[in-house]
Amino acid sequence: MQLVVGKIGRAHGIRGDVSVEVRTDEPELRLGPGAVLLTDPASAGPLTVESGRVHSGRLLLRFAGVKDRNAAEALRGTLLISEVDPEERPDDPEEYYDHQLIGLDVVLLDGTLVGELTEVVHLPYQDLLTVTKADGTEVLVPFVSQIVPTIDLENQRVVITPPAGLIDPEQAEVAGRAAAEPEPEASGGSADSAESAESGESTDSERSGESE
C-alpha cells in the first residue's frame, strides 16, 4: 500500500536541501537516511534520502543526486510516497495510519450514525477527520481525544463527542439563543422554599455532569 508521507517545499541553501511538510507520525522511519520514496508526479522520482536535519522547526532533507538549489527548487510541490505493508501497525497503539481510518463509520456515543470518515487532513497544529454525512456534506472533526475518544477498528467505527454545532450548525444557534435569554425573576414561594434558600440548600436535584 502506498501512503503519502511528505510534501516537498522550498529549497534551502545552495546545496540541494529542501524543506518537507511531514505527513507521517513516523518521520524517522519513513523519511530517514536511506529511505527510497516514490513521488507524485512519478517523473520526479524515485528519490533516496541522503541526509536530514531539523532547522527552525522544519525538516530539511537532501536527496541523492540533487546537488544544487535549482535541482531542489524543481522538486517543489512533489508528494513523497512510501510503500507500506497493509498489515503493518504503528508501534504506538494510540496512533493509526490513514488507511486504517478511512472508510470507518463515525457515530455518536449513543450509536447514532453521523457519516463516513473519508479523509485524514494533516495540518501543522493538529489533524482533522473529514466526515461525509448521508446528504453529501462534509464536516471537519478535530482529531483530539476529547472529541474522538474511541477508535474501534474491530467494529469499523469511530466514536465522537462533538461540541454543540460542530455536526449540526442549527444546534449551535439554538444553544446561543437559549444562553441569551434572561432567566425569569423568582416569584413568591412557600416558606419551605424560603427556608431552603436561607440555609443554602438547593431544592433542585443536582446533576452529576457525567455523560451516559
Side-chain angles (χ1 to χ4, degrees):
M1 176 174 290
Q2 297 182 347
L3 298 178
V4 175
V5 294
K7 181 179 181 181
I8 297 177
R10 296 183 297 177
H12 180 86
I14 61 174
R15 298 183 179 179
D17 291 345
V18 296
S19 62
V20 173
E21 175 189 320
V22 177
R23 297 188 179 182
T24 173
D25 291 328
E26 301 174 305
E28 299 86 357
L29 174 64
R30 306 298 177 197
L31 300 170
V36 179
L37 302 164
L38 302 178
T39 59
D40 182 7
S43 58
L47 295 171
T48 300
V49 179
E50 190 172 87
S51 63
R53 60 192 175 96
V54 176
H55 176 74
S56 298
R58 294 182 302 165
L59 176 64
L60 301 180
L61 296 182
R62 183 178 300 175
F63 297 106
V66 180
K67 300 299 184 183
D68 57 38
R69 186 178 183 87
N70 288 338
E73 192 63 36
L75 295 173
R76 187 170 183 175
T78 298
L79 296 179
L80 301 173
I81 302 169
S82 179
E83 286 280 1
V84 178
D85 184 339
E87 300 302 318
E88 184 179 338
R89 297 291 184 264
D91 292 334
D92 187 338
E94 297 299 318
E95 295 181 354
Y96 305 88
Y97 292 135
D98 291 5
H99 70 270
Q100 294 177 270
L101 302 176
I102 293 174
L104 299 185
D105 288 336
V106 179
V107 301
L108 302 178
L109 279 175
D110 62 4
T112 301
L113 180 65
V114 177
E116 179 183 347
L117 199 162
T118 53
E119 184 181 6
V120 181
V121 181
H122 299 280
L123 299 178
Y125 53 91
Q126 71 176 25
D127 294 338
L128 301 173
L129 303 179
T130 300
V131 180
T132 301
K133 296 163 54 174
D135 61 4
T137 59
E138 294 183 342
V139 178
L140 292 176
V141 177
F143 196 6
V144 294
S145 59
Q146 296 91 332
I147 299 177
V148 187
T150 303
I151 302 291
D152 186 352
L153 295 180
E154 182 177 352
N155 293 302
Q156 293 291 287
R157 66 176 193 166
V158 177
V159 179
I160 64 173
T161 56
L166 180 63
I167 302 301
D168 185 356
E170 292 183 358
Q171 292 182 353
E173 294 176 3
V174 171
R177 288 199 298 269
E181 293 177 355
E183 295 184 1
E185 294 183 0
S187 58
S190 67
D192 289 340
S193 297
E195 289 174 359
S196 296
E198 291 175 357
S199 65
E201 297 177 357
S202 172
T203 58
D204 294 330
S205 59
E206 294 180 352
R207 297 181 181 178
S208 66
E210 295 178 355
S211 60
E212 298 180 354

